[in-house]
Amino acid sequence: MDVFNSMSLRDHEQVVYLSDNRTGLRAIIAIHNTTLGPALGGTRMWAYEDEAAALKDVLRLSRGMTYKAAAAGLNLGGGKAVIIGNPKTDKNEALFRSFGRFIEGLAGRYITAEDVGTETRDMEWVRAETKYVTGISKQLGGSGDPSPVTALGVYMGIKATVKEMFGTDVLTGKTIAVQGAGHVGSYLVGHLRKEGCKVYITDIDDERVTRVVNDYGAIGVSPSELFDLDMDVYSPCALGATVNDETIPKMKAKIIAGAANNQLADEKKHGQMLLEKGILYAPDYVINAGGLINVANELEGYNQEKALTQARSIYDLMLKIYSIARENNIPTYEAANLFAEKRLELIGGIKSVYVSKSEFSGRLGEMSGRHR
Ligand code: NAD
């Protein structure tokens, strides 16, 4: 395993290996890019097959965070952490406090949050050792569950995508199939039903489907019949990689727009296939940026109204990305990447004039050591 080569492949700034024999902590923090601010990204806990798999994952995920923050207009860089271990059996206070102490040692270059395999309680343990953690519960002064903000952003993103495809953003009368009746999916169905959409909802958990059917008047369907239905919009809000060789030929929707991360099984191949099939794909990391917007707001002293307003601006962002895709006849995922890279280039290229460091404001300013 050649760490330097792996780092230079995606242009990573820093990779930190953490080891603590007393607590059994084995973790990797990857800081991809801090051009825009401190690297923020969650901590994933997973029983990786080996060290190489953990490194590969953290490098891939941290780069994704750079693009997500850059596209969303946030003053944050991209980072991610992985803890090697089984999240069901290997968690304890000492492990997460040890992890927190290492994060403190990075002096704000990396800020963590929850991710797959970690939860609010774990982050509260981390917080006992460092202030560089976000996504804390409301009771402890944090922002709590980010899904209402994510769902609003996805709803606005769907409206923008419908506008791009059909010329008007009115959703009344449109048929939308939401896959995943979890946190984001349920809130999203609420928004869609309020605007008079016909909504199909599916989940592997029948109870969740029933709840959404009862709460919002959606139509429950089984996961296997989803792609047989006539629909205008397919909204993946469950797992990644649902847009693939098998599903694209069956797809009746004109639009794919949902909250799930990494929706395209193979970005290049499936992005191109969708373009050729005339299906408009809302780039996942742009439309689901509400969660990141929410934790970024927590760093500034949380105000949900402000976070919701910022999430609404995903509408304009999507339209901008679609115009780049249209003008260049490129897949929308590629347009999103170009948009993010352009911001990194422009902000990274600002002339380096002397700035007095006497007037820092906000928690993010303090953390990043930047004048904002
Ligand atoms: P969640 O765990 O609350 O909900 C996911 C739902 O998907 C669950 O109800 C689960 O049973 C269901 N599911 C799993 N496999 C399925 C399948 N094959 N078919 C149908 N349903 C299936 O998660 P969430 O917080 O609502 O997030 C949904 C997605 O959005 C995830 O991919 C997540 O990474 C992404 N996302 C979430 C946020 C957020 O703020 N929560 C932010 C950005 C991205």
Side-chain angles (χ1 to χ4, degrees):
M1 191 176 26
D2 184 341
V3 180
F4 280 121
N5 260 341
S6 307
M7 286 176 71
S8 81
L9 211 64
R10 294 190 180 90
D11 209 14
H12 277 78
E13 285 178 16
Q14 189 177 12
V15 172
V16 188
Y17 279 70
L18 320 179
S19 171
D20 179 354
N21 283 343
R22 280 184 212 165
T23 62
L25 177 74
R26 297 279 182 278
I28 311 174
I29 296 173
I31 296 175
H32 176 252
N33 186 307
T34 56
T35 301
L36 300 174
L40 191 146
T43 296
R44 184 163 289 198
M45 184 163 183
W46 198 253
Y48 289 100
E49 210 167 278
D50 53 28
E51 212 177 295
L55 177 66
K56 194 172 163 198
D57 209 28
V58 77
L59 291 176
R60 179 180 66 86
L61 293 166
S62 54
R63 179 177 179 273
M65 292 308 295
T66 298
Y67 278 74
K68 192 172 197 161
L74 297 169
N75 292 315
L76 291 169
K80 203 89 183 180
V82 295
I83 296 178
I84 303 172
N86 184 334
K88 290 211 171 87
T89 53
D90 297 343
K91 283 186 184 177
N92 58 66
E93 180 186 354
L95 180 101
F96 280 97
R97 289 187 64 160
S98 173
F99 178 61
R101 212 169 271 196
F102 280 109
I103 292 174
E104 181 69 13
L106 288 170
R109 277 181 51 71
Y110 171 66
I111 302 169
T112 199
E114 280 173 41
D115 196 66
V116 176
T118 58
E119 57 203 290
T120 313
R121 180 206 54 187
D122 307 333
M123 291 308 124
E124 283 160 14
W125 283 333
V126 170
R127 198 171 105 127
E129 302 293 336
T130 182
K131 62 178 180 288
Y132 304 118
V133 51
T134 183
I136 297 291
S137 66
K138 278 203 169 130
Q139 293 89 319
L140 288 181
S143 59
D145 177 15
S147 28
V149 181
T150 305
L152 179 66
V154 173
Y155 166 64
M156 295 307 289
I158 291 176
K159 280 178 83 68
T161 313
V162 165
K163 183 174 171 59
E164 176 71 13
M165 176 57 82
F166 300 109
T168 162
D169 70 7
V170 176
L171 297 185
T172 314
K174 292 274 180 289
T175 302
I176 303 187
V178 177
Q179 183 182 39
H183 289 91
V184 182
S186 319
Y187 285 114
L188 175 63
V189 172
H191 288 296
L192 298 173
R193 288 290 297 145
K194 216 167 162 188
E195 204 181 322
C197 297
K198 176 177 175 184
V199 178
Y200 291 116
I201 181 77
T202 189
D203 201 293
I204 46 171
D205 182 336
D206 291 340
E207 258 177 48
R208 290 189 175 186
V209 171
T210 307
R211 198 165 53 217
V212 172
V213 167
N214 291 340
D215 287 355
Y216 304 110
I219 304 163
V221 295
S222 74
S224 59
E225 63 182 313
L226 187 73
F227 291 109
D228 300 328
L229 301 167
D230 280 323
M231 63 181 87
D232 299 298
V233 180
Y234 160 52
S235 185
C237 294
L239 304 172
T242 60
V243 182
N244 53 43
D245 286 342
E246 204 187 305
T247 56
I248 294 175
K250 288 198 248 173
M251 202 79 75
K252 293 184 186 167
K254 297 295 283 174
I255 286 170
I256 299 173
N261 283 310
N262 305 315
Q263 293 169 25
L264 306 181
D266 177 329
E267 198 175 62
K268 253 195 182 140
K269 180 180 177 192
H270 298 124
Q272 187 61 34
M273 276 170 80
L274 293 176
L275 179 67
E276 284 163 14
K277 218 179 156 197
I279 297 174
L280 190 54
Y281 165 66
D284 47 15
Y285 69 80
V286 183
I287 194 169
N288 74 14
L292 182 60
I293 288 171
N294 202 55
V295 289
N297 270 277
E298 185 178 320
L299 298 173
E300 301 278 0
Y302 190 61
N303 173 338
Q304 193 178 41
E305 256 328 294
K306 190 171 153 237
L308 290 169
T309 302
Q310 257 180 290
R312 279 187 200 101
S313 70
I314 287 176
Y315 180 94
D316 292 329
L317 193 55
M318 301 298 303
L319 290 180
K320 176 84 194 140
I321 285 164
Y322 294 141
S323 79
I324 296 171
R326 219 182 320 113
E327 280 157 23
N328 298 286
N329 193 30
I330 54 173
T332 50
Y333 83 85
E334 203 178 322
N337 289 350
L338 287 178
F339 179 79
E341 282 161 10
K342 187 79 190 163
R343 179 159 180 252
L344 285 164
E345 189 190 315
L346 286 173
I347 306 301
I350 291 175
K351 194 170 163 64
S352 183
V353 296
Y354 174 77
V355 179
S356 158
K357 289 188 179 172
S358 58
E359 281 180 57
F360 288 102
S361 65
R363 206 173 148 212
L364 190 56
E366 275 168 39
M367 285 178 165
S368 65
R370 277 166 200 269
H371 190 82
R372 306 182 64 247

